Amino acid sequence: CFRSVARVMLRTAGCRALVSGRRFRTWSRGSERGRPREPILQPGTKRNSAGPGTLSAVGLVSLAFSFFSQDQKEQPNPEDDIILLIKKAKLSIITGKLEDADRFLHQALKLAQQTRNKQAIIYTYTQMANLAFLRGDLLNAEKLFKAAMSQMLGSGTQQDDNAVIEMSLKLCSIYASTEQHGLAVEGYKWCIETLEDKIQSQKDLPEETLSAKEKDNTRLLLGMTLDSCARYMVSRKQLDLAESLYEKALAISRQVQGETHPQTVVLMNDLATVLDMKGHHERAYDYVRRASDLARETSHPDEYVILNNLARVLMHKGRYSEAKLVYEEALKQAESKADQPVIERIREGLGELEAKTLKVQVLGEKSH
């Protein structure tokens, strides 16, 4: 039973379930301050990513205040000192001074522990875990997430709280990145089933009990989980499962965020990529064509990545002249962004296209 395996994952933290911090993808309406995660490319491309479900940098400075009660905020010391240290840590991360950020967070944690401020301890552990992940120190990130988890559940947070599930998803990402396949899969299953059960139990609650925005946030968290799991399944070449997960994630993004939302566009591209890998080129074309149209209309920051995938699908459909034009436009945009991994991939695609075109010409000459 995957639920029992999920419990085993957390035994080292001394609690019964996985836990979370802030959202690390731009899925929720409240997270539109950032850009959507990058669309996946056709196989063979390396992006600057720590792996499936990569965590972003620590959240905005203002989030630090949300973890302290109003009474705590009004006291000049030591809560003000903790908040100031967290602000300094976040600013250090923004400016790339990660060693300074780590030092400020350790100071904040020490002060929070000395004053027995549980909310501050939980929040600081979470930020330290995010920073460790950002630095590629996954083992330390796992330990810190579990420390935050233990504090959070010990303070009475419910297992199906969205914050709990978000940290579960971060742990899944760590397990996926460190090739702990069993733990990653069981963790993803736990997150998905827990969210599906929660959404089902919430759907008939009146607005005065649970707002539509809160319901949407839970649905978006499910979408983000499906998306993350799908990317992991692609990396494992489990394409049928990845296709199903992407379809569900895309449906949620369309329903809650709309057809033109950047995340919806990315998911269309990713679903098209999986379909193309499976040899379903017609269906892949329908999705990637729509994604490229929307990317152009909305000035999507990763339009060139989507164009690269569109060109590849066109090549697989035998439409070589169109594919060349799209590849050239993708290359122009990628070069303007100085995205070297994508530039290399586009050039590889152009080389493959040239070889296919030459082969067709030679066969045509022989037939005459």
Side-chain angles (χ1 to χ4, degrees), residues 39-107:
I40 61 173
L41 287 149
Q42 293 284 355
T45 305
K46 300 290 185 181
R47 299 306 297 265
N48 295 324
S49 170
T54 302
L55 306 181
S56 70
V58 184
L60 297 178
V61 169
S62 60
L63 289 176
F65 293 93
S66 67
F67 276 77
F68 305 98
S69 68
Q70 186 63 37
D71 290 340
Q72 289 173 323
K73 287 183 197 176
E74 291 171 355
Q75 299 193 23
N77 287 303
E79 281 78 7
D80 287 349
D81 293 335
I82 296 173
I83 292 173
L84 179 59
L85 286 166
I86 291 174
K87 283 184 177 181
K88 288 181 177 179
K90 291 174 181 292
L91 180 59
S92 296
I93 291 172
I94 292 171
T95 57
K97 299 177 180 177
L98 302 187
E99 293 293 336
D100 288 346
D102 186 61
R103 177 166 51 84
F104 288 134
L105 288 173
H106 274 88
Q107 291 174 2

Side-chain angles (χ1 to χ4, degrees), residues 265-336:
V265 176
V266 166
L267 288 166
M268 288 181 192
N269 171 83
D270 293 352
L271 178 56
T273 299
V274 171
L275 291 168
D276 191 52
M277 291 169 70
K278 292 177 65 176
H280 301 165
H281 305 311
E282 289 298 332
R283 288 185 63 207
Y285 175 76
D286 290 340
Y287 280 108
V288 76
R289 176 82 263 178
R290 179 61 175 158
S292 66
D293 289 345
L294 289 171
R296 183 181 64 254
E297 293 169 10
T298 60
S299 300
H300 197 287
D302 289 313
E303 180 185 358
Y304 60 100
V305 179
I306 297 170
L307 287 173
N308 174 70
N309 288 344
L310 172 59
R312 192 166 183 82
V313 172
L314 285 167
M315 179 173 62
H316 291 160
K317 285 168 58 65
R319 294 162 61 172
Y320 297 155
S321 297
E322 293 174 72
K324 183 178 180 181
L325 292 174
V326 177
Y327 266 134
E328 289 173 347
E329 175 59 26
L331 181 60
K332 180 180 177 181
Q333 292 188 23
E335 289 176 337
S336 71

Side-chain angles (χ1 to χ4, degrees), residues 227-298:
D227 174 14
S228 179
C229 187
R231 297 181 79 204
Y232 182 50
M233 292 302 107
V234 171
S235 74
R236 302 282 302 183
K237 299 296 187 291
Q238 297 183 32
L239 300 183
D240 288 342
L241 181 54
E243 178 186 349
S244 175
L245 292 166
Y246 272 135
E247 287 175 341
K248 293 176 182 178
L250 176 59
I252 291 172
S253 189
R254 276 174 164 162
Q255 292 165 7
V256 180
Q257 302 182 126
E259 181 83 358
T260 62
H261 190 278
Q263 190 64 52
T264 304
V265 176
V266 166
L267 288 166
M268 288 181 192
N269 171 83
D270 293 352
L271 178 56
T273 299
V274 171
L275 291 168
D276 191 52
M277 291 169 70
K278 292 177 65 176
H280 301 165
H281 305 311
E282 289 298 332
R283 288 185 63 207
Y285 175 76
D286 290 340
Y287 280 108
V288 76
R289 176 82 263 178
R290 179 61 175 158
S292 66
D293 289 345
L294 289 171
R296 183 181 64 254
E297 293 169 10
T298 60

Side-chain angles (χ1 to χ4, degrees), residues 97-363:
K97 299 177 180 177
L98 302 187
E99 293 293 336
D100 288 346
D102 186 61
R103 177 166 51 84
F104 288 134
L105 288 173
H106 274 88
Q107 291 174 2
L109 179 61
K110 182 178 179 180
L111 187 55
Q113 290 172 333
Q114 288 174 346
T115 57
R116 298 182 181 180
N117 189 325
K118 289 186 177 181
Q119 296 286 17
I121 291 171
I122 292 169
Y123 185 75
T124 307
Y125 267 133
T126 303
Q127 301 312 306
M128 292 171 70
N130 284 331
L131 178 58
F133 197 104
L134 187 64
R135 299 169 73 179
D137 187 359
L138 300 186
L139 291 178
N140 193 36
E142 179 184 355
K143 292 176 183 178
L144 288 165
F145 279 131
K146 287 182 175 180
M149 169 198 336
S150 181
Q151 293 283 339
M152 187 176 289
L153 292 183
S155 297
T157 303
Q158 297 298 309
Q159 290 189 57
D160 67 350
D161 187 279
N162 282 1
V164 172
I165 299 169
E166 286 183 55
M167 192 171 287
S168 304
L169 190 52
K170 292 182 180 182
L171 285 174
C172 289
S173 173
I174 290 173
Y175 295 137
S177 298
T178 54
E179 299 185 0
Q180 298 182 67
H181 179 63
L183 292 179
V185 169
E186 297 306 327
Y188 278 124
K189 286 181 178 179
W190 184 87
C191 290
I192 291 169
E193 288 206 352
T194 300
L195 283 165
E196 288 176 339
D197 291 345
K198 184 175 182 179
I199 290 168
Q200 182 65 27
S201 67
Q202 289 180 345
K203 69 176 186 178
D204 294 326
L205 292 178
E207 178 74 15
E208 57 270 20
T209 302
L210 187 69
S211 69
K213 183 177 181 179
E214 289 177 289
K215 292 179 182 179
D216 282 348
N217 282 340
T218 301
R219 293 173 66 199
L220 288 169
L221 180 54
L222 174 60
M224 182 172 68
T225 304
L226 293 165
D227 174 14
S228 179
C229 187
R231 297 181 79 204
Y232 182 50
M233 292 302 107
V234 171
S235 74
R236 302 282 302 183
K237 299 296 187 291
Q238 297 183 32
L239 300 183
D240 288 342
L241 181 54
E243 178 186 349
S244 175
L245 292 166
Y246 272 135
E247 287 175 341
K248 293 176 182 178
L250 176 59
I252 291 172
S253 189
R254 276 174 164 162
Q255 292 165 7
V256 180
Q257 302 182 126
E259 181 83 358
T260 62
H261 190 278
Q263 190 64 52
T264 304
V265 176
V266 166
L267 288 166
M268 288 181 192
N269 171 83
D270 293 352
L271 178 56
T273 299
V274 171
L275 291 168
D276 191 52
M277 291 169 70
K278 292 177 65 176
H280 301 165
H281 305 311
E282 289 298 332
R283 288 185 63 207
Y285 175 76
D286 290 340
Y287 280 108
V288 76
R289 176 82 263 178
R290 179 61 175 158
S292 66
D293 289 345
L294 289 171
R296 183 181 64 254
E297 293 169 10
T298 60
S299 300
H300 197 287
D302 289 313
E303 180 185 358
Y304 60 100
V305 179
I306 297 170
L307 287 173
N308 174 70
N309 288 344
L310 172 59
R312 192 166 183 82
V313 172
L314 285 167
M315 179 173 62
H316 291 160
K317 285 168 58 65
R319 294 162 61 172
Y320 297 155
S321 297
E322 293 174 72
K324 183 178 180 181
L325 292 174
V326 177
Y327 266 134
E328 289 173 347
E329 175 59 26
L331 181 60
K332 180 180 177 181
Q333 292 188 23
E335 289 176 337
S336 71
K337 299 285 186 71
D339 191 333
Q340 197 58 39
V342 180
I343 290 171
E344 292 175 4
R345 185 58 177 167
I346 293 171
R347 287 175 177 166
E348 289 174 7
L350 281 167
E352 184 180 350
L353 177 62
E354 184 178 352
K356 287 179 178 291
T357 303
L358 181 60
K359 183 177 180 180
V360 170
Q361 291 174 347
V362 169
L363 290 174

